[in-house]
Amino acid sequence: MGRTEPWDLVWQSRSGPPQVPWLEPDVCDYLRKTDARSVVLVPIGFVSDHMEVVYDLDTEARQVAAELELPMERAATAGTHPRFVQMVRELMEEPEPVPCPLTCCPPPRRRPQAS
């Protein structure tokens, strides 16, 4: 598919409310078009397995890969790995940051809305 990198970024879902279209390229569509000899799916937007990861990747994508006889593996999410849990705990134990003075940073600017 004309890749310049040894990897591609594809999506399994949308970002936002149901009215927002799904992100593209879709992982299953990509699997159907790729010239790769094998694939590893890495759910980078998820820290734990849940129904979206399990269904979209472990069920749908795995079925498409099997139909194509395309070897596929899915990388594990951090989940309850001890080092991940330790990192979360350490972040929670950090003292609260001292708030910035009101004069520290310029106020955010909003983009003008199109009329």
Side-chain angles (χ1 to χ4, degrees), residues 52-72:
E52 185 174 359
V53 171
V54 171
Y55 184 75
D56 292 352
L57 300 183
D58 296 346
T59 302
E60 279 191 326
R62 188 169 304 284
Q63 182 178 0
V64 170
E67 290 168 5
L68 299 168
E69 298 180 0
L70 178 64
M72 183 201 105

Side-chain angles (χ1 to χ4, degrees), residues 11-107:
W11 307 95
Q12 73 182 72
S13 62
R14 79 176 106 249
S15 178
Q19 301 83 354
V20 173
W22 280 51
L23 298 168
E24 293 182 354
D26 173 77
V27 65
C28 291
D29 293 342
Y30 178 84
L31 293 175
R32 289 182 184 99
K33 295 176 185 174
T34 188
D35 58 357
R37 290 176 284 177
S38 62
V39 294
V40 176
L41 303 181
V42 183
I44 60 174
F46 299 89
V47 296
S48 65
D49 289 355
H50 57 80
M51 290 315 298
E52 185 174 359
V53 171
V54 171
Y55 184 75
D56 292 352
L57 300 183
D58 296 346
T59 302
E60 279 191 326
R62 188 169 304 284
Q63 182 178 0
V64 170
E67 290 168 5
L68 299 168
E69 298 180 0
L70 178 64
M72 183 201 105
E73 292 294 330
R74 192 212 3 126
T77 55
T80 58
H81 188 283
R83 291 192 316 204
F84 179 72
V85 172
Q86 178 182 349
M87 185 250 342
V88 171
R89 188 184 74 239
E90 289 170 359
L91 287 172
M92 292 175 64
E93 291 172 349
E94 284 184 1
E96 286 230 13
V98 176
C100 246
L102 291 176
T103 57
C104 175
C105 304

